[in-house]
Every structure is written in C-alpha cells, then in structure tokens.
Amino acid sequence: MNKIIEAVIFVAVLGSFCIGQNIPVPQNVSPPILLQQNPVPVGNKPLPPAPEATLPPSFSPPSAPGIPVIQTISAKALMENLPRALVTVQKLSTQFMPGKVWIIRAPDGQREIKGGVLYQGVVVAVLHFSPMDGSILPSGVNSHSYVGNVSIQSVKSGLSAAVSKLKILPAAEFIEPEASWSFPLVYQDFIVAHIKILYDGIHVIQNYPENQEMTFYGQ
C-alpha cells in the first residue's frame, strides 16, 4: 500500500512540474535600447559652450552603428524589418519620461533651451523651447534669440506636461549613415523630434550627443 501511495505522489508531483513548465513566464516587453558608450573619434567635434559653465573635455560623436552590416543586407530584408520597428515604437509612447533641461549657446551666440525625453533613463529625443516664452518649438524652427527671461523651472514644468502628450507617427524613413529607421515624434500638430530604431526593428537608439549635453549641462 505504501508503495502505491508513493507512486501516486510521484506521478502527481511530476505532472505538476510538467504543467508548470508550460506556463509562460512574464517577460519584459519593453524594447531594448542601444547604448553608445565608446565613441570612435571622428573629427573631434566639441560641445557648444554653455553659459556660466566650464567646458568639459571635447568629445566626438559615435561612429554610425552598423554601416558595414547594412551594406550586406538587401533592401528587401530591411523592409521586412519595418513592421517590427512599427511594433517597437508603438510600445514607446507610454514609456517616455521627462529628463533634465539645459541652456546652451549656438556657435553664433543664439540661446537654445533644450529638454531631454528619456527612455530607460537615457535621452532618445530632445524638445526645443523658445527662450522668449518657453513654448515648445517645431523641429527646424529657430527662435533667433540671443536673450531670454524664461526660467528653467517653467521649462521643466512645460517638459513634464508635454512628454505625456507626445505621439509617434507610424511612418518612417531609413537613415543609412545611422543604420536606423527614423519615426517623427509629434506634439500637438507639429513634429518636434525623431525617434530612431536600429535597422533590425528591435533596438531603440540612444541620442548620444544630446545625452552627453544633458549630462554636462542639465538642471
């Protein structure tokens, strides 16, 4: 009798184990981000000067990720990755977080106010703000302002309010020098930046130069 009981228990435990093996384990569905931590020197391009700040050592933008790989992939194969990239960006818009805000001077002395849009703690896009009234500027619009009285705190508030309203358009262009798909990032009814997804359609690309600016100058 004892052997029968032991056999029944063994079968029950084995069955539970097998069933357990078939239960899907929750996975982190957040798309992975491609970090560029070891840039290859290309031209020694320095950061623009920041007002009332000591310039950090010059750094160079990273070399483009994957150009040699792109040259070995057919256009058909790249196009097959586009639907995957569309799925990836659809997951991002609810995961953006506001980053820091910083003020720099363009090479001609114009005042620029920027705010980082973060994904998994790093900058993937940047919003530009008017130095005159703190409003968000469409991509490509320059305020041509050399002065401004907008406070950093008011820009921070504007950035926090805007991030939750950002939308990614489900249409892309391919940027071969960066081996990435570029999707327009929209606020209200205008484009404010672009989100880039690696050619594989899976990895979100960090905006390395802007992430460096925010690290040095962000408040």
Side-chain angles (χ1 to χ4, degrees):
M1 179 64 68
N2 289 338
K3 290 184 179 181
I4 294 175
I5 294 175
E6 290 174 359
V8 170
I9 294 174
F10 175 78
V11 170
V13 172
L14 181 60
S16 299
F17 175 78
C18 293
I19 294 173
Q21 289 295 94
N22 293 325
I23 297 175
V25 178
Q27 299 291 329
N28 181 8
V29 296
S30 297
I33 189 159
L34 179 65
L35 298 177
Q36 300 166 340
Q37 299 177 335
N38 299 304
V40 178
V42 180
N44 294 322
K45 179 182 177 182
L47 280 168
E52 301 179 4
T54 303
L55 280 176
S58 297
F59 77 95
S60 302
S63 59
I67 289 181
V69 176
I70 289 299
Q71 292 174 349
T72 66
I73 299 179
S74 68
K76 180 181 178 181
L78 289 174
M79 289 301 297
E80 289 174 350
N81 289 339
L82 181 55
R84 186 181 299 123
L86 284 165
V87 172
T88 297
V89 295
Q90 288 173 357
K91 298 177 182 178
L92 297 184
S93 58
T94 59
Q95 301 188 50
F96 290 141
M97 297 293 293
K100 295 180 179 180
V101 171
W102 66 100
I103 301 174
I104 63 171
R105 294 281 181 181
D108 62 355
Q110 294 181 37
R111 185 183 178 95
E112 295 184 8
I113 303 179
K114 301 181 180 182
V117 178
L118 307 185
Y119 172 67
Q120 295 189 3
V122 299
V123 176
V124 292
V126 166
L127 303 187
H128 294 256
F129 296 81
S130 168
M132 303 306 297
D133 59 13
S135 61
I136 298 176
L137 298 174
S139 181
V141 171
N142 193 321
S143 65
H144 298 290
S145 175
Y146 296 87
V147 296
N149 297 318
V150 176
S151 70
I152 288 290
Q153 189 56 50
S154 65
V155 176
K156 284 183 176 180
S157 298
L159 176 62
S160 296
V163 164
S164 62
K165 300 175 182 178
L166 295 175
K167 305 294 183 184
I168 304 175
L169 295 184
E173 63 175 323
F174 190 73
I175 311 295
E176 185 167 304
E178 300 178 34
S180 64
W181 295 102
S182 179
F183 291 83
L185 186 64
V186 174
Y187 175 71
Q188 295 181 348
D189 57 355
F190 52 87
I191 296 172
V192 291
H194 288 79
I195 297 295
K196 293 176 180 176
I197 307 297
L198 195 64
Y199 67 92
D200 62 4
I202 298 173
H203 295 81
V204 183
I205 296 181
Q206 170 195 22
N207 190 322
Y208 181 86
E210 300 287 13
N211 197 75
Q212 290 292 88
E213 278 193 5
M214 189 185 75
T215 299
F216 287 120
Y217 306 142
Q219 299 181 42

